[in-house]
Amino acid sequence: QGQLVESGGGLVQPGGSLRLSCAASGIMFSLYDMGWYRQAPGKQRELVARIINGGSANYADSVKGRFTISRDNAKNTVYLQMDSLKPEDTAVYYCNAFRRHSIIGVRNYWGQGTQVTVSS
């Protein structure tokens, strides 16, 4: 089965940077759209950034200009570079892999999450 494992979270000061990584296994990685979501305590999970299999990316308005999503299909890995971090970025960040096939249907996988805390 498909598995996603996030890494790179931690504690940083406001204005600092982190790079999250998500390593995928058990899937044909290049066929999947990849995304990063986050969930803060007491709030719903929200989309942060998404990159499709062709390379086009989109971002939540709250992170545009600060976060960059990228993928390395040779390494089966998607990244989220986070710069100029703010306290409101504090959340558990989840990696997602999504594919919809006209015959086999939807494939949707989630990682276990990695904690990002932005605090002075």
Side-chain angles (χ1 to χ4, degrees):
Q1 298 193 58
Q3 296 186 41
L4 307 175
V5 179
E6 302 98 332
S7 62
L11 173 65
V12 296
Q13 294 184 338
S17 297
L18 283 174
R19 189 182 73 160
L20 305 183
S21 298
C22 171
S25 61
I27 66 172
M28 298 184 68
F29 182 81
S30 63
L31 299 180
Y32 282 75
D33 297 342
M34 301 298 299
W36 287 96
Y37 293 72
R38 67 187 181 188
Q39 187 168 21
K43 297 184 178 180
Q44 293 191 6
R45 187 173 300 184
E46 64 174 345
L47 175 67
V48 177
R50 182 174 62 185
I51 183 166
I52 67 173
N53 56 9
S56 297
N58 55 70
Y59 301 88
D61 287 342
S62 60
V63 307
K64 286 181 179 177
R66 300 189 298 120
F67 291 10
T68 304
I69 189 171
S70 61
R71 65 191 296 162
D72 187 339
N73 287 347
K75 296 182 178 180
N76 288 356
T77 301
V78 62
Y79 305 94
L80 185 68
Q81 178 67 44
M82 304 185 294
D83 298 319
S84 301
L85 283 162
K86 304 175 180 179
E88 51 263 45
D89 295 319
T90 296
V92 177
Y93 283 70
Y94 297 91
C95 180
N96 172 258
F98 178 83
R99 182 190 181 199
R100 185 168 67 89
H101 192 279
S102 61
I103 296 175
I104 67 173
V106 171
R107 298 289 184 269
N108 197 13
Y109 300 99
W110 293 91
Q112 81 289 343
T114 185
Q115 177 71 48
V116 172
T117 302
V118 185
S119 177
S120 59

